[in-house]
């Protein structure tokens, strides 16, 4: 068995955005800590690994069969918002504007990375369309996100379900001068008439 | 806008030094391999964030050094602006840009200082590879419309995705339709941008060619879209591209790459409607390149933004006296700060009234700087 310091350093260094040095800082912080942080984190990690799985309906992390959003009867089941990552759900939830359900793809179609449609829960999404009036494709405005959205639209539209995408443009409360060139150019090209 | 003083450090073989430039004409004089071009390259890097000599930025960092830097104080109608670019060695070279002392992402820094470089390598533009002409065209569009960079990158990315998809066995045709649609949408944007720029170039080259050539041959700059021959254009660029993809689909599926599209575009320089690339003499091609470069400067100068700096790296010695005079005359219309490198002062047709600063360069260091007037006798 490897030295615990080395073992944990190597394990932490596998996390996104954490390099060897940062991992080492975490390890030595935990070693020096006297408040029981290491045990607390270990316990939380074990629970995360043992108790959490993905919602069988939408793919969002869940403690039971269905996640908090899918099991909430106050949510509008006629509305599905498709996102790339679970974090996107949290971002949309923070707006407190959306009261429908979600579908998490855990990725987008990306032939360069070898990700085809069969690797994403697309069949599961199509199986949910019964009784749904609108699907919002809240995928990132990248080449891959756009292609995935176009593809899903082609599969969903024949079922008679309305398909929409969130608008892109200048961030609210942020001056036009701070918008990046691509966003601003797109916002200007897709400008809307007033009144 | 002109550069008042420039400082380099660990930049190629240049001795760390601060150079005080003349607001209009600067002549860097020296034998070969003394660092003349490196000094011009340092000025260019500060504006363009790349080199006109090489695509490998690591070559600009002096051997054994981790970071090379160029910084300058520029004067924009009495307003002082500070620019700095550092190149840091790594698996790939990192560019760190500073504007007014603040670190600024390259995409935001670009365009605050602009430059046009003309160097002997450009003389092969007419007869060289189509990639070089596409690059010339695309860079010109970026300098005039910075938003084009993101459009161009998105198109390139969709091309890579479509090609990668084509190489997979038994592709899903529904998904191929999606890649086609995306390729058409992004590709048409690139085609329209290029088409528009080529029309501008054509108009400008038409005016400049005669003054350089001194005869009545009719030049032309034509867009050769990368849509394989035999498919007549009907309607918009998008419709045309869509029709080409549809027709080429079996071939694309078989070969595993996209055979039609802006990635195959070319820009054709013609004289009396004949392609110079095939029929031109070396003199005619050089004349066309001179006209093209003068047009480039003119198009950038009249677009919104700071007036571009002009760098002529050892070009005078490559052109005959007539073309040189015509080049300098055409350039004198644009009051830009100019940097000229040459081995012989007599190569430069600078009129007797032209004030300039001459820098003598030896082994990477400026050994003398003095203000002079004219290289040609009255």
């Amino acid at each position: 068995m490897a030295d615990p310091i080395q073992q944990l350093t190597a394990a932490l260094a596998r996390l996104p955005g954490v390099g060897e040095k940062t991992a080492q800082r975490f390890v030595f912080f935990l070693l020096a800590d006297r408040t029981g942080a290491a045990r607390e984190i270990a316990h939380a990690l074990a629970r995360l690994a043992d108790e959490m799985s993905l919602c069988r309906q939408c793919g969002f992390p869940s403690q039971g069969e269905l996640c908090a959003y899918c099991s909430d009867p106050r949510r509008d089941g006629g509305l599905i918002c498709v996102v790339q990552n679970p974090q996107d759900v949290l971002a949309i939830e923070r707006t407190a504007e959306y009261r429908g359900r979600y579908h998490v793809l855990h990725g987008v179609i990306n032939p360069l990375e070898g990700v085809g449609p069969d690797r994403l829960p697309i069949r599961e999404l199509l199986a949910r369309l019964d009784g749904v009036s609108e699907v919002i494709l809240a995928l990132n405005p990248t080449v891959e996100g756009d292609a995935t959205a176009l593809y899903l639209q082609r599969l969903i539209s024949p079922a008679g379900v309305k398909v929409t995408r969130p608008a892109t443009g200048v961030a609210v409360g942020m001056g036009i001068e701070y918008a990046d060139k691509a966003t601003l150019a797109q916002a200007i090209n897709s400008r809307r008439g007033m009144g | 806008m002109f550069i008042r003083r420039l400082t380099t450090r660990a930049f190629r073989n240049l001795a760390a030094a601060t150079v005080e430039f003349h607001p209009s004409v600067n002549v860097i004089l020296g034998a070969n391999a003394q660092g003349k071009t490196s000094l011009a390259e340092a000025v260019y890097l500060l504006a363009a964030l790349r080199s006109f000599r090489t695509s490998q930025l690591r070559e600009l960092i002096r051997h054994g050094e981790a970071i090379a830097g160029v910084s300058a104080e520029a004067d924009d109608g009495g307003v002082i602006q500070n620019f700095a670019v550092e190149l840091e060695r790594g698996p790939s070279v990192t560019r760190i840009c500073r504007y007014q002392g603040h670190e600024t992402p390259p995409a935001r820094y670009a365009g605050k200082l602009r430059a046009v470089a003309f160097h002997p390598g450009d003389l092969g533009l007419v007869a060289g590879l189509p990639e070089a002409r596409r690059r010339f065209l695309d860079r010109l569009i970026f300098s005039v419309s910075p938003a084009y960079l993101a459009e161009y990158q998105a198109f390139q990315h969709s091309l890579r995705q479509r090609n990668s998809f084509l190489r997979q066995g038994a592709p899903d045709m529904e998904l191929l339709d999606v890649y086609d649609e995306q390729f058409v949408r992004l590709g048409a944007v690139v085609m329209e941008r290029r088409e528009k720029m080529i029309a501008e170039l054509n108009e400008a080259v038409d005016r400049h060619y005669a003054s350089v050539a001194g005869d009545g041959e009719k030049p032309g700059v034509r867009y050769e879209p990368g849509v394989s021959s035999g498919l007549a254009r009907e309607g918009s660029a998008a419709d045309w591209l869509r029709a080409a993809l549809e027709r080429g689909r079996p071939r694309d599926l078989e070969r595993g790459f996209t055979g039609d599209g802006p990635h195959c575009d070319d820009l054709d320089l013609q004289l009396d409607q004949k392609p110079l690339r095939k029929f031109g003499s070396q003199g005619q091609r050089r004349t066309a390149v001179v006209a093209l470069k003068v047009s480039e400067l003119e198009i950038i100068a009249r677009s919104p933004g700071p007036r571009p700096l002009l760098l002529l790296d050892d070009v005078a010695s490559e052109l005959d006296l007539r073309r040189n005079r015509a080049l300098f005359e055409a350039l004198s219309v644009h009051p830009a700060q100019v940097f000229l490198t040459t081995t012989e002062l007599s190569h430069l047709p600078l009129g007797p009234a032209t004030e300039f600063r001459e820098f003598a360069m030896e082994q990477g260091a400026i050994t003398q700087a003095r203000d002079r007037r004219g290289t040609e006798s009255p």
Side-chain angles (χ1 to χ4, degrees), chain B residues 47-312:
Chain B
L49 299 180
R50 59 182 183 86
S51 164
F52 54 77
R53 270 162 128 178
T54 172
S55 58
Q56 299 297 317
L57 283 178
R58 67 183 69 250
E59 291 173 20
L60 276 56
I61 308 170
R62 186 182 301 151
H63 189 72
E65 299 276 351
I67 296 175
V70 184
S71 59
E73 186 184 298
D75 185 324
D76 188 17
V79 180
I80 298 300
Q81 300 200 39
N82 288 291
F83 297 93
V85 174
E86 280 180 0
L87 302 176
E88 196 179 340
R89 207 184 280 280
S92 66
V93 173
T94 310
R95 297 175 300 186
I96 301 152
C97 312
R98 285 196 179 82
Y99 174 63
Q100 306 296 51
H102 301 290
E103 193 169 331
T104 310
R108 288 187 77 115
Y109 177 97
K112 295 197 187 295
L113 188 63
R114 303 196 290 180
V116 172
F118 188 5
H119 64 107
D122 289 327
L123 292 167
L125 198 61
V126 170
L129 295 170
E131 284 97 299
R133 284 185 292 276
R134 280 198 296 273
R135 208 160 38 231
F136 165 78
L137 184 61
D138 286 332
R139 281 178 181 156
L140 178 54
I141 307 174
F142 299 147
S143 352
V144 175
S145 313
Y148 177 59
L149 183 60
E151 295 167 359
Y152 172 80
Q153 286 169 341
F155 162 71
Q156 287 294 336
H157 198 80
S158 89
L159 171 64
R160 282 197 300 276
Q161 287 288 17
R162 187 178 190 269
N163 285 345
S164 167
F165 181 72
L166 287 169
R167 282 192 283 274
Q168 293 174 355
D172 170 347
M173 288 301 155
E174 190 88 32
L175 192 49
L176 185 52
D177 285 345
V178 165
Y179 283 115
D180 284 7
E181 192 47 44
Q182 192 170 43
F183 184 89
V184 164
R185 188 162 41 82
L186 298 170
V189 172
V190 172
M191 286 174 80
E192 278 159 10
R193 289 265 198 198
R194 287 178 177 170
E195 205 166 26
K196 209 170 129 231
M197 181 53 78
I198 287 173
E200 264 190 75
L201 271 174
N202 184 48
E203 184 273 326
V205 165
D206 190 48
R207 273 183 288 114
H208 295 299
Y209 187 88
S211 63
V212 184
D215 55 35
E217 287 167 309
K218 178 88 176 145
V221 185
R222 297 280 171 271
Y223 182 37
E224 269 184 24
V227 175
S228 49
S229 54
L231 188 70
R233 175 161 181 179
E234 277 172 36
S236 66
D239 291 341
W240 195 24
L241 203 50
R242 191 176 295 114
L245 282 188
E246 201 175 304
R247 192 189 59 169
R249 185 180 272 205
R251 175 206 57 198
D252 286 358
L253 278 168
E254 194 184 298
R255 298 197 299 192
F257 64 89
T258 307
D260 293 284
H263 57 297
C264 309
D265 279 358
D266 202 351
L267 170 155
D268 189 25
L269 279 126
Q270 305 178 335
L271 207 53
D272 287 334
Q273 304 193 345
K274 283 200 220 71
L276 274 174
R277 162 171 84 219
K278 287 188 198 129
F279 301 105
S281 68
Q282 203 200 27
Q284 286 171 325
R285 287 176 185 164
R286 290 192 162 200
T287 303
V289 173
V290 171
L292 206 56
K293 294 302 284 189
V294 172
S295 303
E296 178 190 5
L297 180 69
E298 181 189 294
I299 290 169
I300 295 179
R302 73 179 175 218
S303 74
R307 191 182 295 285
L309 312 172
L310 175 65
L311 298 118
L312 294 175

Side-chain angles (χ1 to χ4, degrees), chain A residues 100-137:
Chain A
R101 299 229 155 96
Y102 293 97
H103 196 83
V104 186
L105 294 180
H106 295 283
V108 280
I109 302 171
N110 188 340
L112 284 168
E113 307 272 318
V115 181
D118 49 317
R119 294 260 301 265
L120 304 174
I122 292 174
R123 218 169 297 125
E124 290 82 343
L125 172 65
L126 299 177
R128 290 178 67 186
L129 294 182
D130 209 20
V132 168
S133 59
E134 181 179 347
V135 173
I136 304 166
L137 301 174

Side-chain angles (χ1 to χ4, degrees), chain A residues 161-177:
Chain A
V161 177
K162 183 173 153 194
V163 180
T164 57
R165 279 199 86 181
T168 52
V170 180
V172 175
M174 189 190 187
I176 282 186
E177 62 168 320

